[in-house]
Amino acid sequence: MKADVIIAGGGQAGATVAITLRQLGYAGSVLILDAGAEPTYERPPLSKEYMAGQRSFERCLIRPQGFWAEQRISLLHSARAVAVDAAARQITLADGRTLGFSKLVWAAGGIPRRLLCPGANLGGVFTLHDKLDADAIIARLPRVQRAVVIGGGYIGLEVAAALVKQGQQVTVLEAQDRVLARVAGEDLSRFIEAEHRAHGVDLRLGAQVAEILGTNGEATGVRLADGSTILADLVIVGIGIVPQAEPLLAAGAAGGNGVEVDEFCETNLPGIYAAGDCARHRNHYADNAWVRLESVQNATDQAITVAHAIAGQPKPYTALPWFWSNQYDLRLQSAGLSIGHDETVIRGDMTQRSFSILYLRQGQVIALDCVNCTKDFVPGKALVASGARFSPILLQDETQPLKALLPA
Ligand SMILES: Cc1cc2nc3c(=O)[nH]c(=O)nc-3n(C[C@H](O)[C@H](O)[C@H](O)COP(=O)(O)OP(=O)(O)OC[C@H]3O[C@@H](n4cnc5c(N)ncnc54)[C@H](O)[C@@H]3O)c2cc1C
């Protein structure tokens, strides 16, 4: 079997490559291989509306079931790619089948990082990365009274909020001295921590997990390095992902912590591309440093870049990174990369739970976080993209819409 374009991974990036190829009028054969058994779907609702029982799986699908056949896009499920031969233009599946391609797109995402402590494999210990994980957690909930979430990143905090909404008693354990330390400034971290505590979450910072305790193969609690224990009949581990790219790296692609791609999302193997959580690229908004972003924006925009390159209409990837999260009644929207900021400006009143935090480096707005402040988000993205310098006093002045500050 052979296809003009084979896409390994039918998640956010892989599906978007196929959709965009057809939108661009690409007429060749397109085959998506996916290791999972489900139709292609979006992951963000899994820790939010789907976990809270407010959205059906059908409403998480990237496209309705009939779309793919209508667009002449072939989908092969339970098809894990395990080896790539770049010279022979062949990809091998776990069941031994070999498929030929002219162009290959690697979009295999990542897998959740696992805890390495004793008890990590007990029943009742879950990660949350795919529908199977979400369904297993939801199925257990009727038997759960106390949940422990390990990891105070976005997924851990979102799932904590979803469990609180369902009446669970929730403890969040974060190893660092603040939540969201990898992605947000301290003001936002402290605000989010206070919100979770106000909703009854027992949030512990600097908490080192030593062991998951269990009886008869089932988790009963968590022991911390300081000797304290927390009772739990459900443990959710949200400590990041490991990008999946081994078959491509073994085939000679450059990388480590993901596959390296150029501005057209092509690897160093000609005609072989990568996009999404598994790809590292030099990002304009990070001073051209190598970054690997885990977001719907990045997966989508890199996929669009790949499709343009394959369709013979190349345009480089220059998109501004952005992200969102929902927790309780908070809508968080972030844009840019705040690493290296030397000043922050807060617009609005944090106590009113509607504000924006702008991150500046030498007067240039490099990122912003909006909390229940959608009106600042779109102009704020434009401020970051402009690369212009602004007076912190002007930025702070809420009577002045951010839009008015945009360079003409
Ligand atoms: C619970 C959760 C909540 C999230 N919330 C947000 C959010 O609010 N906002 C946001 O911007 N981002 C969010 N994200 C991140 C976002 O979903 C990812 O960044 C995005 O899905 C990445 O797209 P991708 O295509 O690279 O990977 P994925 O969407 O993970 O797709 C990868 C696909 O590859 C398949 N695969 C893996 N290995 C192989 C193989 N060897 N062969 C074939 N197929 C393979 C997998 O089965 C999977 O379907 C969330 C993620 C999770 C898990």
Side-chain angles (χ1 to χ4, degrees), residues 2-6 21-22 26-31 72-74:
K2 188 175 183 310
D4 296 312
V5 178
I6 289 188
L21 278 171
R22 289 297 184 240
Y26 181 81
S29 52
V30 177
L31 168 63
R72 293 183 305 103
I73 296 166
S74 307

Side-chain angles (χ1 to χ4, degrees), residues 7-15 33-38 40-48 62 79-82 91 93 106-111 128-130 154-155 158 241 244 247 275-279 293-300 322-326:
I7 302 168
Q12 195 79 45
L33 310 171
D34 196 87
E38 290 82 20
T40 181
Y41 63 96
E42 294 176 346
R43 289 170 201 268
L46 297 181
S47 50
K48 307 178 183 75
I62 290 178
R80 178 176 294 279
V82 292
I91 189 163
L93 303 185
W106 191 264
I111 53 166
L128 176 53
H129 189 67
D130 59 24
Y154 276 119
I155 291 178
E158 286 173 359
I241 62 162
Q244 290 301 287
D277 286 4
C278 65
L293 299 174
E294 296 165 12
S295 69
V296 167
Q297 170 279 317
N298 178 65
T300 305
W322 61 266
F323 191 85
W324 83 95
S325 174
N326 301 333

Side-chain angles (χ1 to χ4, degrees), residues 175-254:
Q176 301 210 40
D177 61 359
R178 62 184 177 97
V179 299
L180 300 176
R182 201 166 57 89
V183 288
E186 181 157 358
D187 291 312
L188 185 67
S189 298
R190 298 302 176 213
F191 173 81
I192 296 289
E193 288 163 8
E195 283 289 323
H196 280 271
R197 287 185 169 129
H199 281 86
V201 172
D202 175 5
L203 173 66
R204 305 196 190 184
L205 303 172
Q208 307 287 338
V209 173
E211 182 180 3
I212 311 294
L213 305 167
T215 311
N216 300 327
E218 293 291 314
T220 55
V222 178
R223 185 171 61 79
L224 300 182
D226 66 7
S228 57
T229 58
I230 303 137
L231 294 177
D233 22 39
L234 170 69
V235 178
I236 299 176
V237 181
I239 54 173
I241 62 162
V242 181
Q244 290 301 287
E246 287 73 18
L248 204 53
L249 297 173

